Amino acid sequence: MAASTKVPAKPPTTHLGLVRRARRVDRELAETYPDARCELDFTSPLELLVATVLSAQTTDVRVNQVTPTLFRRFPDAAAYAGADRDELETILKPLGFFRAKSASLMGLGQALVERFDGEVPGRLEDLVTLPGVGRKTANVVLGNAFGVPGITVDTHVKRVSRRLGWTEETDPVKIETALGDLIERSEWTMMSHRLIFHGRRCCFARKPNCSGCPVAGLCPSAGTAG
């Protein structure tokens, strides 16, 4: 798709105008990134939960390199709860912070076994009670493993949504609320993927590619973000 003009768009003067612009941007990003998805490899809610916990302070690519071995060796919550710490640390060592991450997975497994019969709960209010699980991780699991719409406010969603003028908030929970007020609930999960794809492929943190951006004509930061 050809890039839009680089002249910064004027911010909408009404909330309705902002809603309309946000939904237009989301449609444009849907056309630009038809393959937008969760880039962590998983086959079950537990695998996605574990992979998401491990993705902190590392890349999805690196996590995906480690998880095949991890998932074979630890197929369920009970296996994590009773894991040999040295073995777990050896598997996770390529990710960095492997001692802390090993402790997190063992604690996660214990909590799942003790409070949820070893199953990953499908409600946000239950997920966030698990050690190492906040709203971001919970929404990833809900949206991609359970089909429950959720907004994942990671570093890309935070950056891109602010540049687009969708919110001025910096707190992740307030950003989640603001975005949820703009985009249809049924699109929350996919909208998150699209913003993440856009942040990783075009709207970079240090030097966004505004000249190649498909929504530059709808973005108040076009040509000025840095």
Side-chain angles (χ1 to χ4, degrees), residues 5 42 52 70 106 115 130 132 176 185 199 202 214:
T5 175
F42 69 97
T52 306
L70 180 71
M106 293 174 69
R115 293 194 270 125
L130 296 169
E176 182 183 335
R185 186 173 186 272
C202 184

Side-chain angles (χ1 to χ4, degrees), residues 55-75:
S55 68
Q57 297 176 300
T58 189
T59 65
D60 290 356
V61 171
R62 187 163 291 180
V63 172
N64 290 338
Q65 293 171 346
V66 166
T67 50
T69 299
L70 180 71
F71 294 160
R72 283 194 301 269
R73 180 61 187 85
F74 302 97

Side-chain angles (χ1 to χ4, degrees), residues 39-122:
E39 295 188 278
L40 291 168
D41 296 335
F42 69 97
T43 62
S44 69
L46 177 62
E47 289 185 355
L48 180 57
L49 178 59
V50 168
T52 306
V53 169
L54 293 178
S55 68
Q57 297 176 300
T58 189
T59 65
D60 290 356
V61 171
R62 187 163 291 180
V63 172
N64 290 338
Q65 293 171 346
V66 166
T67 50
T69 299
L70 180 71
F71 294 160
R72 283 194 301 269
R73 180 61 187 85
F74 302 97
D76 52 37
Y80 288 106
D84 177 84
R85 183 182 293 271
D86 289 339
E87 180 184 10
L88 192 53
E89 288 182 356
T90 297
I91 295 172
L92 300 183
K93 193 169 185 177
L95 300 180
F97 303 98
F98 60 93
R99 291 188 179 88
K101 291 183 178 182
S102 296
S104 292
L105 294 192
M106 293 174 69
L108 183 62
Q110 290 167 3
L112 288 172
V113 169
E114 293 171 3
R115 293 194 270 125
F116 298 103
D117 296 322
E119 299 296 324
V120 176

